[in-house]
Amino acid sequence: MALEIESRPSDSPYIERVWRSTSQDVSEMTSVATAHWDLVFWEHRGQVSVSVQGPETRAARASVPEDATFFGIVFALGTSMPHLPANRLVDASAEIPDATRRTFHLKGSAWCLPDYDNAEMFVRRMVREDVLACDPVVAAVLGGASPDLSERTLQRRFLAATGLTRGTVRQIERARRAAVLIREGVPATEVVHRLGYFDQPHLARSLARYVGQTATRLGERDPVEPLSLLYKT
């Protein structure tokens, strides 16, 4: 059973990560919670599909088509497509119809399908044609800045750009970091200390909600069930 996932960072301020994967002899995976949204392309039995996958606020089981190939662009927090409001994409997705192996349609225009190596070029066109927007305040706050804005205004802008509150983003990101550390062999007691959990039960509840696995299972060398994309930030 295998879900082979390869990913890379990007120098684009609009992109968090670019990934691709193939599935073989696997029908399900655990989809880990994420504060980011993806534009995902996949081919299965000659059929090409494209969809926008919104942020996910808890771990869930997801079906995986066998012998399929996938490619996705994970967008940076604060980046959005204004014609698809972020709050409508939370725990949901939007299929983009009529895709072929060469093209698909987005916001009334024809687009060539991007790939793993030219994602940045594709995203630059999205920016030029006003398909993508980025709220610099959200990016600044996530980078540690303290803009001279009211808490109410900050929350409103976070919700508009991400569909999530700042608190939810922090909780999801922390749980994902915890999962990566545990998979790297860091003891759960040390993860509690590093990431500011109250205690191990607090960590356990966070992992159960956002990652869908226990620390013990995450620490196994040969996990029985594949996970969606996890990466070290």
Side-chain angles (χ1 to χ4, degrees), residues 41-197:
F41 307 81
W42 71 97
E43 183 173 351
H44 180 234
R45 296 177 180 172
Q47 176 67 44
V48 174
S49 301
V50 183
S51 72
V52 179
Q53 302 288 332
E56 297 178 351
T57 59
R58 63 186 312 130
R61 306 280 290 183
S63 60
V64 180
E66 187 176 353
D67 296 326
T69 59
F70 303 85
F71 156 67
I73 303 171
V74 182
F75 287 87
L77 290 172
T79 299
S80 62
M81 289 196 291
H83 70 287
L84 288 177
N87 62 338
R88 297 183 186 177
L89 292 172
V90 175
D91 295 318
S93 62
E95 183 179 357
I96 298 176
D98 303 323
T100 71
R101 287 185 172 181
R102 296 179 61 85
T103 63
F104 71 106
H105 284 79
L106 181 62
K107 201 181 176 183
S109 298
W111 298 70
C112 292
L113 259 68
D115 59 35
Y116 188 78
D117 297 314
N118 70 7
E120 285 77 10
M121 184 184 304
F122 172 79
V123 167
R124 284 196 294 271
R125 181 188 168 191
M126 294 180 77
V127 175
R128 285 197 308 271
E129 300 198 13
D130 295 324
V131 176
L132 278 185
C134 182
D135 187 334
V137 169
V138 172
V141 170
L142 291 169
S146 300
D148 187 18
L149 296 171
S150 69
E151 181 62 25
R152 182 176 180 180
T153 298
L154 288 176
Q155 287 287 25
R156 177 177 56 79
R157 291 181 71 155
F158 256 81
L159 282 169
T162 70
L164 307 172
T165 65
R166 278 194 294 166
T168 299
V169 170
R170 284 196 297 266
Q171 291 176 48
I172 292 172
E173 294 293 286
R174 180 168 64 168
R176 291 175 64 92
R177 288 196 297 272
V180 170
L181 289 172
I182 292 169
R183 293 181 78 177
E184 291 178 344
V186 178
T189 51
E190 176 64 19
V191 173
V192 168
H193 174 71
R194 286 195 198 181
L195 300 184
Y197 287 101

